[in-house]
Amino acid sequence: MLNVGKIEEGFVLDHIKAGRSMDIYRYLKLDKLDCTVAIIKNARSNAMGKKDILKVECPIDQMDLGILGFVDQNITVNVIKDGEIVEKRKLELPERITNIIKCKNPRCITAEDHTLPHVFALADKQKHIYRCIYCEEKFSGRKR
Amino acid sequence: MRHIMNPLDLSVEELDHLMDLATDIERHPAKYAHACDGKVLATLFYEPSSRTRLSFESAMIHLGGHVIGFADANSSSVTKGETVADTIRVVSCYSDICAMRHPKEGAPLVASLYSRVPVINAGDGGHQHPTQTITDLHTIRSMKGRLSDITIGLCGDLKFGRTVHSLIHALIRYPGVKFVLISPKELRVPDYIRDDVLEANNIPYREVEQLDDAMADLDILYMTRVQKERFFNEEEYIRMKDAYILDKKKLKLAPEDMLILHPLPRNNEIATDVDDDPRAVYFRQVQYGMYGRMALILMLLGLDGIYEG
């Protein structure tokens, strides 16, 4: 059994689908942060069989976790302060997502101008539908 | 500062004001002949469109203003690899308002994010064309006397026809509007119009494949061209283009007071023998379009106070 120590302040992202932790690492741009990150892959889970866990030691106001709601709403976000869980954050679909998914419409301006960010806005919360802000091309379902 | 990307950027009240203003311009042109003295309109047309461009330019000239711009991408810095964002940053130093047409969807929106002057979407790919919608609404209201309680048939290329998409968006805000969508299966309206606009707002509509099946029920017949530039494949275009042609024989099935609109240019989807029929109003529509664009320019420049209606 592998042991990873407690963190004083930061986040524990639990119940990540096994094998997806590196994708989450990239979406949260953790490579750009100067903080301690533990990536636990294929941990045993009663509910999921196998799961990934990410532990991030950083000031809790330093990270924007909005994108997690788009990637996987089943992820549990534990907010840690003074070594204790102070909040279990509920994930919501973000209103806007930037440079996570790409517009596939060949007629969209983003297909011609590669300097533009790919921005999608939430169009239908119930159906999880996002639309490209430029051409309104639909993206439904979450990033898998 | 406001930009117009989509007909929904204007509320129903603003559209009413705009159409009242357009009517006043038509009746009293002299009152508006110097309303834009010293103002400059930039027309940035990245794809050919003599009709819309000339309408904008004529609108500004009738208001006493001036016009700069380009009529196709080859005569602009695009050939040197300049982005839309950079072009508008430069052009908005020279002008007071800009009308942009671009083959790529969302390009005018990109321009609006970087512009220091109001940007009007003059058509972006198969997406939106709000000033054509103002033209269409103004034509219907002027000639029918109302925008509510009408049954409108939209015929032809409903998949790539941006004028159709914009018109549907705008008309669903008026009570009692019903749609008959007349097209081959391959050119039906895109799902975001059907699901998010018509279904989501509980708007009555039916889809038919034959023009004859719809004609008798219509107050308005809106014909569209099957546009070659929207197809990737020439064979597909040739197969589709002649499918929906309005001629004198078909017109016999139509009510006496039905109006025929078309955003123009037409190919052969309206036979020329229909032109003399009093129901054919597509050339009047062009005139209404110029007045509508004049009204929009005045409104976006904050010069519509001249109208006291």
Side-chain angles (χ1 to χ4, degrees):
Chain A
M1 180 72 179
L2 179 70
N3 282 318
V4 177
K6 275 173 69 169
I7 58 174
E8 278 303 304
E9 182 175 355
F11 301 94
V12 176
L13 309 180
D14 200 357
H15 301 113
I16 299 169
K17 202 172 163 193
R20 295 277 281 148
S21 53
M22 283 310 292
D23 294 334
I24 308 284
Y25 181 89
R26 277 189 290 272
Y27 293 143
L28 294 176
K29 300 186 170 65
L30 292 174
D31 53 327
K32 308 239 169 25
L33 287 181
D34 183 24
C35 59
T36 308
V37 179
I39 301 165
I40 303 159
K41 287 184 69 177
N42 299 324
R44 276 193 294 277
S45 162
N46 289 337
M48 302 169 73
K50 283 194 296 184
K51 64 178 180 180
D52 287 3
I53 303 168
L54 272 178
K55 286 188 166 191
V56 186
E57 183 138 48
C58 69
I60 54 177
D61 55 359
Q62 199 178 321
M63 252 175 61
D64 178 8
L65 299 174
I67 191 61
L68 291 179
F70 174 72
V71 177
D72 186 352
Q73 283 186 310
N74 296 319
I75 295 172
T76 308
V77 178
N78 299 301
V79 184
I80 313 290
K81 187 96 179 164
D82 300 324
E84 302 294 331
I85 297 175
V86 293
E87 184 191 346
K88 283 195 178 280
R89 196 168 288 177
K90 192 173 169 350
L91 292 176
E92 301 265 354
L93 289 173
E95 288 299 319
R96 277 190 171 218
I97 46 178
T98 303
N99 288 336
I100 299 295
I101 46 174
K102 286 192 179 276
C103 184
K104 296 206 170 85
N105 177 6
R107 297 180 183 85
C108 180
I109 184 65
T110 55
E112 180 178 285
D113 183 346
H114 301 292
T115 65
L116 290 170
H118 285 247
V119 185
F120 281 73
L122 184 59
D124 188 323
K125 208 170 178 177
Q126 266 70 45
K127 294 181 185 165
H128 296 179
I129 291 171
Y130 282 84
R131 290 198 181 280
C132 170
I133 64 158
Y134 308 107
C135 71
E136 297 183 75
E137 180 79 354
K138 181 158 92 172
F139 181 91
S140 52
R142 295 189 196 97
K143 180 87 176 169
R144 292 292 172 203
Chain B
M1 183 177 63
R2 286 189 71 179
H3 309 285
I4 301 297
M5 295 296 118
N6 182 313
L8 299 188
D9 292 344
L10 295 165
S11 67
V12 170
E13 292 72 27
E14 286 173 321
L15 271 172
D16 282 344
H17 168 66
L18 201 68
M19 290 186 277
D20 289 342
L21 177 56
T23 302
D24 198 54
I25 293 168
E26 182 185 358
R27 288 180 186 155
H28 309 288
K31 193 167 114 187
Y32 297 90
H34 297 285
C36 284
D37 275 358
K39 301 288 183 192
V40 175
L41 166 74
T43 51
L44 309 185
F45 276 58
Y46 289 79
E47 67 176 1
S49 161
S50 51
R51 214 161 301 265
T52 304
R53 185 172 55 82
L54 292 178
S55 180
F56 267 109
E57 294 183 357
S58 176
M60 192 52 159
I61 291 164
H62 277 89
L63 291 168
H66 300 276
V67 179
I68 58 171
F70 52 82
D72 70 87
N74 293 329
S75 55
S76 77
S77 294
V78 175
T79 51
K80 299 173 194 160
E82 187 172 64
T83 62
V84 167
D86 281 1
T87 301
I88 196 70
R89 280 182 177 120
V90 171
V91 170
S92 58
C93 297
Y94 306 145
S95 58
D96 300 285
I97 189 165
C98 168
M100 177 182 282
R101 167 162 292 191
H102 201 289
K104 291 292 181 189
E105 299 173 7
L109 179 78
V110 173
S112 74
L113 299 175
Y114 297 92
S115 179
R116 300 196 315 187
V117 300
V119 176
I120 303 168
N121 179 1
D124 59 337
H127 188 217
Q128 296 289 348
H129 193 354
T131 60
Q132 182 65 48
T133 307
I134 293 168
T135 302
D136 300 338
L137 294 178
H138 186 43
T139 306
I140 296 169
R141 197 182 81 149
S142 297
M143 304 205 69
K144 208 75 185 165
R146 65 182 194 277
L147 287 166
S148 53
D149 301 310
I150 54 169
T151 299
I152 179 164
L154 301 161
C155 179
D157 175 4
L158 309 187
K159 184 176 181 181
F160 299 115
R162 60 188 159 203
T163 58
V164 166
H165 304 166
S166 292
L167 187 56
I168 292 173
H169 271 292
L171 276 174
I172 63 159
R173 298 191 291 180
Y174 296 89
V177 175
K178 295 178 195 161
F179 293 93
V180 185
L181 307 172
I182 310 152
S183 73
K185 274 193 223 109
E186 295 85 345
L187 293 177
R188 279 182 181 172
V189 290
D191 66 344
Y192 77 86
I193 297 287
R194 190 183 300 102
D195 299 346
D196 300 354
V197 182
L198 295 171
E199 294 279 357
N201 292 288
N202 218 9
I203 306 295
Y205 75 95
R206 63 190 175 101
E207 294 185 285
V208 301
E209 288 190 32
Q210 297 296 324
L211 185 52
D212 293 4
D213 295 342
M215 201 72 103
D217 302 328
L218 304 179
D219 298 306
I220 310 285
L221 173 60
Y222 193 92
M223 296 293 293
T224 63
R225 180 167 60 100
V226 176
Q227 298 183 65
K228 190 175 181 178
E229 61 267 31
R230 305 288 169 228
F231 285 83
F232 290 120
N233 177 334
E234 180 136 7
E235 271 172 34
E236 222 180 298
Y237 165 72
I238 290 166
R239 191 167 59 83
M240 297 290 177
K241 78 181 172 75
D242 294 337
Y244 297 85
I245 295 174
L246 177 66
D247 54 22
K248 266 242 174 328
K249 191 174 155 216
K250 282 201 185 78
L251 200 52
K252 283 189 181 144
L253 302 167
E256 285 301 308
D257 60 348
M258 187 188 82
L259 299 179
I260 307 159
L261 277 72
H262 191 302
L264 303 178
R266 69 172 155 184
N267 284 343
N268 58 349
E269 62 277 4
I270 301 179
T272 50
D273 63 2
V274 173
D275 294 353
D276 296 331
D277 192 290
R279 289 168 286 192
V281 298
Y282 29 89
F283 292 114
R284 290 284 301 280
Q285 201 179 341
V286 174
Q287 190 83 39
Y288 285 122
M290 187 188 72
Y291 295 130
R293 290 182 177 100
M294 288 169 79
L296 183 62
I297 290 169
L298 287 175
M299 197 176 117
L300 292 178
L301 290 175
L303 298 171
D304 49 333
I306 195 169
Y307 170 59
E308 290 151 1

